[in-house]
Amino acid sequence: MNKPSMTSNRPYLLRAFYEWITDNKCTPYLLVDTHLPGVLVPQQHVNDDGQIVLNVSETAVMGLTMDNYAIRFNARFGGVPTDIQVPVGAVVGIYARENGQGMVFEPEETPEPPEPTPPTSLKKPAKKPSLRVVK
């Protein structure tokens, strides 16, 4: 029996932890791996390991959206408004600044597309119809 393939649970856990952290009057921080494609952050704030910590509290960002594919918002870096985009797969962890409680995620592997299956039967190509003169 084939098991149904499921989408990543990471975006759901990120939203749940964000809500839990903010409901407890703490500041949510995201740890992001900037090496992954689709990450748009100010590179001057990325550390030597290719990571950046982002404060995503309501007072630090504008227009925060967290869908199943990415986290997007606008924040100020050095006083300059900057649009930020972080694919959910690039989030290494989410935690509360005040006490460090949160969650670290395992790296997700992008599934390889399935290889094409060979035909189960090798049929001979059908002959073209032909006309013959009968006397």
Side-chain angles (χ1 to χ4, degrees):
M1 183 169 106
N2 288 339
K3 292 182 182 180
S5 65
M6 296 182 70
T7 59
S8 170
N9 63 7
R10 188 176 299 204
Y12 302 93
L13 292 170
L14 284 168
R15 290 190 294 266
F17 271 91
Y18 179 87
E19 184 178 341
W20 175 66
I21 291 168
T22 56
D23 282 355
N24 282 280
K25 308 292 187 244
C26 291
T27 309
Y29 275 13
L30 295 178
L31 177 61
V32 177
D33 178 356
T34 65
H35 291 123
L36 295 174
V39 175
L40 299 174
V41 297
Q43 293 301 307
Q44 66 271 27
H45 296 283
V46 174
N47 68 20
D48 293 337
D49 293 331
Q51 296 180 332
I52 188 170
V53 175
L54 300 170
N55 177 348
V56 289
S57 68
E58 293 175 353
T59 58
V61 303
M62 291 183 59
L64 177 68
T65 60
M66 299 174 82
D67 61 30
N68 288 350
Y69 307 101
I71 299 167
R72 296 174 191 86
F73 58 91
N74 185 279
R76 292 186 173 272
F77 289 85
V80 178
T82 307
D83 288 327
I84 303 297
Q85 176 177 292
V86 177
V88 294
V91 177
V92 176
I94 183 169
Y95 62 95
R97 179 190 70 191
E98 292 77 3
N99 57 23
Q101 290 190 30
M103 182 172 194
V104 174
F105 298 98
E106 292 292 321
E108 287 185 343
E109 290 186 25
T110 306
E112 293 288 324
E115 291 189 25
T117 56
T120 56
S121 65
L122 298 174
K123 292 182 181 178
K124 292 182 180 178
K127 289 184 177 181
K128 289 183 183 179
S130 61
L131 293 177
R132 197 168 37 133
V133 176
V134 178
K135 292 186 181 183

